[in-house]
Amino acid sequence: MDSNMPRHKVRVFAAVALVLTAAAYLLVRNQPAAPLATVEKLSIALPDVPHAALLHIAAEQGYFAAQGLDLTIVPVTHGKVAMEQLRQGKADLAAMADVVFLLSVMRGEPFGVAASVLSTSYEHAVVARRDRDIAAPRDLAGKRVGVSFGTSGEYFLWAFLIRNKLAPESVTLVDLPPDQIAPALAKGSIDATATWSPNLADAQAALGKNAVVFTEANVYTLSFLVGGRRDFLQAHSPAIERLLRALLKAEQFSREHPDEALNLVAKRLKVEGKTLQPTWKSFNFRVDLKQSQLITLEDQASWAMARGYVARRPVPNCLPHLYLDALLAVQPERVSVVH
């Protein structure tokens, strides 16, 4: 620029250049994102439970497709069945509670976790029949309690009994699929149950005024996990990163539009929104991998051996079963596991 140009003209040129630069930035920013060069195919066994809300939201809102994922959903009733689909090779990934994952690790199965998508400390409860002389937790001694074996419901019951100074062997456990718990409680073939939402609402509705409900805050913090075979996760890391980005978008949606998120999930689960409301606010929907989750898995290992699900041996190191690479690549601050 001519050094002899008057200063007011220099300022005018500078202002014009600034405006043009800003306009160019806005134009680029508002352009639609370029389509991803490739589409990755994945399948996931997805339980019809609110704990998997972020996955349901991401599917409903098109977040997976926006990340270039062609995701096939294999619907299942709960996490134990999801793990079985994974075990049989009928799905690439599965969503499940931490207990289900831990039992697979204890059995030496080659599965890993890519992320947790929810944690909650208040969601499980015991629902019992008043007419079986049950008015307090201590009255469960000698009673028949329906649970789904090898699930978070059974682990919660174990922790609940110990917290209330009851020997776990003081109750008779009855193994029931989640959808059969409420009918069995109504019929009277069991005296109580320990389960999760929305089965809790079904159990209470089945008994009406005859229901008594026991909760125990912080006796167990459940983590709901997304995982697959460890070799699959490593071989398909770009696809897993895309999956996590979609889930982070779903997390943001659930945070900014909580009522809409609840109703969306309720619709996908084919239940009324009010059925999910009692426990929805206790759900911490967050994509992460935390050290505390690793500690819970170790606690569950002791329970699994005490229950006879696996032979007694030293508590295994679960760290190798956490696939950290994808989340570290997408949002490293979400990984607090010491590694």
Side-chain angles (χ1 to χ4, degrees):
M1 185 177 292
D2 188 348
S3 59
N4 295 320
M5 184 178 292
R7 290 186 179 179
H8 71 277
K9 289 187 177 182
V10 173
R11 287 196 292 267
V12 169
F13 275 115
V16 170
L18 182 61
V19 169
L20 290 175
T21 301
Y25 167 76
L26 291 172
L27 181 63
V28 171
R29 189 188 68 174
N30 292 326
Q31 290 297 313
L36 295 169
T38 59
V39 173
E40 297 269 7
K41 290 189 175 184
L42 288 176
S43 60
I44 183 167
L46 181 57
D48 290 332
V49 295
H51 314 84
L54 293 188
L55 290 148
H56 287 288
I57 291 170
E60 188 72 16
Q61 296 293 94
Y63 297 152
F64 292 127
Q67 287 295 327
L69 286 178
D70 179 3
L71 187 70
T72 299
I73 291 177
V74 181
V76 296
T77 54
H78 57 298
K80 184 178 178 179
V81 181
M83 174 56 84
E84 189 58 34
Q85 294 289 304
L86 183 61
R87 187 177 289 117
Q88 294 178 14
K90 295 179 179 179
D92 301 322
L93 305 171
M96 73 215 82
D98 46 14
V99 169
V100 175
F101 170 72
L102 180 279
L103 288 175
S104 86
V105 170
M106 295 289 288
R107 291 165 180 153
E109 295 175 342
F111 300 120
V113 168
S116 169
V117 293
L118 165 138
S119 64
T120 178
S121 303
Y122 301 91
E123 203 263 342
H124 287 75
V126 172
V127 181
R129 297 181 60 109
R130 291 184 186 275
D131 60 1
R132 299 293 169 84
D133 297 323
I134 302 173
R138 63 178 177 275
D139 300 325
L140 292 170
K143 301 298 193 294
R144 291 168 57 84
V145 183
V147 293
S148 300
F149 280 13
T151 67
S152 60
E154 185 189 0
Y155 180 72
F156 166 78
L157 177 64
W158 177 80
F160 175 87
L161 293 172
I162 291 175
R163 175 68 64 85
N164 286 279
K165 300 180 180 179
L166 284 169
E169 58 270 19
S170 67
V171 304
T172 299
L173 299 182
V174 180
D175 186 18
L176 292 169
D179 60 353
Q180 293 183 23
I181 284 177
L185 196 59
K187 187 171 63 176
S189 59
I190 56 175
D191 306 307
T193 183
T195 189
W196 57 82
S197 177
N199 303 310
L200 281 174
D202 294 339
Q204 289 179 258
L207 294 183
K209 294 182 179 179
N210 192 32
V212 57
V213 180
F214 306 124
T215 59
E216 194 69 56
N218 296 316
V219 72
Y220 161 45
T221 298
L222 173 145
S223 294
F224 210 73
L225 312 173
V226 176
R229 290 182 60 94
R230 292 161 67 185
D231 56 357
F232 181 90
L233 296 174
Q234 292 169 351
H236 295 80
S237 57
I240 304 305
E241 290 173 21
R242 294 184 185 190
L243 181 89
L244 296 183
R245 289 190 180 95
L247 293 176
L248 287 164
K249 187 71 174 176
E251 178 193 314
Q252 180 182 356
F253 178 86
S254 70
R255 184 170 56 250
E256 296 176 353
H257 309 282
D259 294 336
E260 188 176 347
L262 185 153
N263 291 327
L264 183 155
V265 173
K267 180 180 178 182
R268 285 183 64 92
L269 301 186
K270 297 180 174 60
V271 300
E272 294 184 12
K274 64 181 181 181
T275 301
L276 303 182
Q277 283 176 343
T279 55
W280 187 263
K281 289 184 179 180
S282 74
F283 290 158
N284 179 24
F285 295 115
R286 180 174 169 83
V287 180
D288 59 24
L289 286 169
K290 298 190 296 187
Q291 185 69 21
S292 59
Q293 295 159 354
L294 199 59
I295 294 170
T296 297
L297 290 173
E298 293 172 354
D299 291 341
Q300 291 168 348
S302 300
W303 161 79
M305 290 184 282
R307 278 285 289 130
Y309 282 121
V310 293
R312 289 189 177 275
R313 61 178 185 274
V315 174
N317 178 15
C318 293
L319 180 58
H321 292 271
L322 301 186
Y323 177 66
L324 307 178
D325 292 358
L327 194 52
L328 284 171
V330 173
Q331 277 203 19
E333 68 274 15
R334 296 297 186 101
V335 179
S336 65
V337 175
V338 178
H339 60 283

